[in-house]
Amino acid sequence: MMSAKGECSMRENSLTGNDKHSAGARKGAQILQRLRDRPPSIWYRGEQVRDVTAHPALEGGVQTLAELYDLQWRNPDVSLYKSPTTGDLVARSFMMPRTHEELHSVTKAMKVWANYAFGMMGRVPDYINRAMTGYAAGAPFLAEADPRFGENATRYYEYLRENDLCLTHTLIPPQANRAASSANQADPFLAARVKEETDAGIVVRGCRMLATLPISDEIMVFPSTLLKSPEEDAPYAFGFVIPNDTPGLRFICRESVDYGRSHFDHPLGSRFEEMDAVVVFDDVFVPWENIFLYRDIDRCNQAYARTGAVVHMTHQVLVKNIAKTEFLLGLASLLVNTIGVEVFQHIQEKLAEIWVNLETMKALLRASEADATLDEWGVMRPAWNPLDAARNLYPKLYPRMVEIIQQIGASGLVAMPTEADLKGPLVDDIKKYYQAARADAFDRIPIFRLAWDTALSAFGSRQVLYERFFFGDPVRMAGALVAGHGAEIKELAGRVQEFVKTTKDEAFSETP
Ligand SMILES: Cc1cc2nc3c(=O)[nH]c(=O)nc-3n(C[C@H](O)[C@H](O)[C@H](O)COP(=O)(O)OP(=O)(O)OC[C@H]3O[C@@H](n4cnc5c(N)ncnc54)[C@H](O)[C@@H]3O)c2cc1C
């Protein structure tokens, strides 16, 4: 029997109820209004947040989110395209590219947003827009399990595109006991699982480890960690989307890194706090029309790759990485110039290191576009190998580049007064003692505060953790890479083996 909670939520969760309001690409004011009208169920420091647009811990990130949506209307030729169904202008990150030119146009649109946040908001909405575009393209794959699932993916994608909604997503189970599967934890409902199934949908109970950008409209709840046992893991095998105000759904936030909201003191944290939250499903009802994958372990395990979703998401990630690396190179260069350390060779070497990283990322993006081919769904899919190389490399490059900022900035990263100090009685001391080779104190301090927020603050540390892990455990990603390229690596080993054999044969051919 479905619970009363389930019956009540059914109307609100259903896609069909929301379908009517399509209007194409949104503007910032609409983002804020929707978050006020339908607040995500966010908990912060033990209290439910009633209005994320006015909450001190969250409003900086929410404001930036709104600015991003305004930005797409300031660059409509780059950021938008005509919807194939309505003719309205919609976000280009929903495009299913059919040609190399269209694919490149998606890159350019994503770069506008990535630049705006210097790559520091990994979850700008185009990340999931690309995922859902991939899933919709691969709808026939989902339909093989149940025709409804394919139809749901297509319908939801169109709903998302035409309403320009913003999504978060959650994939992994809670970090309780990583040596055991979800089914073998201390409590089988620790990881979110299906509690009951009805004619109308499913009821989900349990938890998912993380969702970045809970300050969004809806959540994509998809499988991630490889499911192994068809019997045990089936209740954990699903993919669906629901609104963030669905009854029973709760986001428990970490502490904000947007302290004090001063753009001067916290230039990045006060603007780009996208927030991370644990997601609790307290008997959440999910209608069948919101479900794309269900109880089919093999299909869940294959879905990201077969539909192309993972490729399209990684494409967005690489664009973000380029924007982020450009920012780091610009910042490092500003630091160097401000305090006049460009004369030292190791400083030049460090700048060169960031430059090489940037060119490497750009080259991998270009290769992925140049080698793109039409996939089985007729979508121009970027080549996977360069993207895979980039996603395995960047978790190593980013922490190192942050280390470089620390090495260049040294104690300057902590000898750093606040906005209040600059407006206080010690301003003459500050003017004198904080001057630099090529900047007076008032110009030097904001540069160093920016470097501090990049390399030292809670915001900066969270960025490092993000880059290390957000796309998955780097160790297991490397394992998957080696497994995926087994034949290629074996072929290379064979060539080297041939050479070794020749050497050996040469040395011992005359042995009696
Ligand atoms: C800032 C941030 C934002 C994120 N945002 C999102 C989000 O929006 N949505 C989302 O779904 N996820 C998100 N993630 C989660 C991300 O997917 C995970 O961090 C990643 O998959 C690794 O899982 P884990 O953090 O649970 O680490 P764990 O799996 O718990 O690993 C902990 C340690 O144990 C090792 N380990 C564990 N199991 C194995 C194994 N089988 N083999 C070898 N080593 C193992 C790992 O290498 C690691 O060193 C985010 C993560 C971070 C840090």
Side-chain angles (χ1 to χ4, degrees):
M1 283 289 290
M2 195 195 320
S3 64
K5 195 182 266 177
E7 283 167 17
C8 138
S9 58
M10 180 164 62
R11 289 188 310 277
E12 300 175 34
N13 291 15
S14 167
L15 294 179
T16 47
N18 297 328
D19 267 339
K20 299 159 200 137
H21 307 295
S22 66
R26 288 193 294 174
K27 292 192 175 152
Q30 292 164 283
I31 302 302
L32 301 178
Q33 197 53 51
R34 158 104 187 190
L35 286 171
R36 284 186 200 113
D37 291 346
R38 298 190 59 179
S41 179
I42 289 188
W43 287 74
Y44 186 77
R45 282 182 172 272
E47 288 178 3
Q48 185 160 14
V49 177
R50 299 287 163 203
D51 181 0
V52 293
T53 70
H55 192 281
L58 301 162
E59 66 179 332
V62 169
Q63 186 54 41
T64 301
L65 199 59
E67 289 164 15
L68 288 170
Y69 282 86
D70 280 337
L71 190 61
Q72 62 182 359
W73 278 102
R74 287 211 296 278
N75 303 277
D77 292 346
V78 176
S79 301
L80 308 177
Y81 77 113
K82 233 181 212 185
S83 160
T85 52
T86 62
D88 287 336
L89 286 177
V90 293
R92 196 174 285 270
S93 51
F94 289 115
M95 179 181 259
M96 287 187 191
R98 308 290 179 192
T99 63
H100 283 91
E101 290 71 30
E102 284 186 349
L103 179 62
H104 187 60
S105 77
V106 175
T107 303
K108 286 203 314 198
M110 295 194 299
K111 188 70 187 334
V112 173
W113 273 9
N115 281 351
Y116 192 74
F118 299 119
M120 296 286 177
M121 280 180 95
R123 296 309 162 82
V124 288
D126 51 16
Y127 182 67
I128 300 298
N129 292 355
R130 290 318 284 155
M132 289 311 310
T133 303
Y135 270 107
F141 171 73
L142 305 176
E144 282 168 18
D146 184 329
R148 288 178 302 171
F149 297 161
E151 287 159 21
N152 292 348
T154 306
R155 193 177 61 251
Y156 185 72
Y157 159 73
E158 290 183 358
Y159 160 65
L160 195 60
R161 184 187 66 200
E162 302 306 321
N163 291 277
D164 205 12
L165 293 184
C166 170
L167 262 65
T168 177
H169 81 312
T170 190
L171 308 177
I172 58 163
Q175 194 184 43
N177 178 0
R178 284 288 186 252
S181 69
S182 290
N184 292 298
Q185 299 291 317
D187 176 341
F189 284 97
L190 210 56
R193 64 173 274 168
V194 177
K195 185 188 152 230
E196 56 185 298
E197 185 185 316
T198 72
D199 289 347
I202 57 173
V203 177
V204 176
R205 178 184 290 182
C207 168
R208 281 280 173 95
M209 181 83 175
L210 218 62
T212 299
L213 205 77
I215 46 174
S216 49
D217 304 314
E218 309 221 337
I219 183 166
M220 174 179 150
V221 184
F222 268 50
S224 163
T225 37
L226 287 181
L227 302 157
K228 293 193 178 81
S229 155
E231 297 81 35
E232 281 189 346
D233 290 339
Y236 303 92
F238 44 70
F240 61 79
V241 282
I242 46 172
N244 285 347
D245 60 349
T246 300
L249 183 68
R250 289 192 284 277
F251 295 94
I252 305 176
C253 295
R254 63 160 164 74
E255 195 175 354
S256 176
V257 293
D258 178 6
Y259 313 105
R261 286 155 284 139
S262 159
H263 283 183
F264 185 89
D265 290 348
H266 303 266
L268 299 176
S270 63
R271 292 176 169 98
F272 306 135
E273 167 57 298
E274 55 189 353
M275 187 48 78
D276 308 295
V278 166
V279 190
V280 175
F281 299 82
D282 184 2
D283 289 357
V284 170
F285 174 72
V286 183
W288 285 117
E289 56 265 38
N290 291 38
I291 296 175
F292 305 165
L293 290 158
Y294 189 59
R295 295 187 72 91
D296 184 337
I297 296 211
D298 286 342
R299 204 163 294 276
C300 280
N301 287 339
Q302 290 175 45
Y304 269 102
R306 272 297 295 281
T307 59
V310 71
V311 181
H312 299 297
M313 292 167 89
T314 314
H315 178 204
Q316 188 273 354
V317 168
L318 184 44
V319 173
K320 180 268 294 170
N321 291 353
I322 290 171
K324 209 163 185 170
T325 313
E326 286 171 343
F327 168 76
L328 289 174
L329 184 54
L331 176 63
S333 162
L334 262 184
L335 286 178
V336 166
N337 184 56
T338 304
I339 55 172
V341 290
E342 70 278 1
V343 289
F344 304 117
Q345 271 185 338
H346 81 95
I347 297 285
Q348 295 158 17
E349 188 196 22
K350 289 180 168 66
L351 287 180
E353 188 176 334
I354 304 179
W355 184 89
V356 169
N357 293 346
L358 175 58
E359 284 303 308
T360 305
M361 289 298 128
K362 281 160 65 177
L364 290 170
L365 176 63
R366 198 162 162 180
S368 76
E369 284 186 22
D371 293 347
T373 50
L374 283 177
D375 65 15
E376 63 182 306
W377 322 119
V379 174
M380 186 55 71
R381 189 188 289 195
W384 176 237
N385 285 357
L387 296 180
D388 202 13
R391 78 169 181 152
N392 276 276
L393 190 56
Y394 208 68
K396 296 186 180 74
L397 299 186
Y398 188 75
R400 168 63 189 143
M401 290 189 284
V402 164
E403 184 183 42
I404 288 176
I405 298 293
Q406 290 180 356
Q407 287 169 329
I408 295 173
S411 65
L413 296 179
V414 286
M416 217 184 25
T418 61
E419 181 178 352
D421 292 309
L422 266 72
K423 291 175 178 165
L426 297 184
V427 67
D428 289 336
D429 278 356
I430 289 169
K431 277 186 184 161
K432 181 170 176 189
Y433 297 118
Y434 289 82
Q435 62 179 288
R438 299 199 188 92
D440 65 22
F442 276 63
D443 284 335
R444 175 213 169 112
I445 292 165
I447 294 170
F448 275 74
R449 288 214 72 94
L450 183 58
W452 166 82
D453 219 6
T454 306
L456 234 72
S457 69
F459 179 89
S461 308
R462 185 262 174 197
Q463 289 290 327
V464 171
L465 191 75
Y466 181 86
E467 292 302 345
R468 283 191 202 279
F469 281 110
F470 83 93
F471 218 123
D473 174 15
V475 175
R476 279 169 277 173
M477 281 196 327
L481 184 151
V482 171
H485 295 282
E488 181 188 335
I489 295 170
K490 199 169 166 198
E491 197 267 326
L492 296 176
R495 273 157 60 181
V496 178
Q497 181 63 54
E498 198 60 31
F499 178 69
V500 171
K501 184 172 178 304
T502 312
T503 312
K504 189 192 88 183
D505 289 351
E506 229 176 71
F508 297 103
S509 59
E510 292 180 9
T511 307

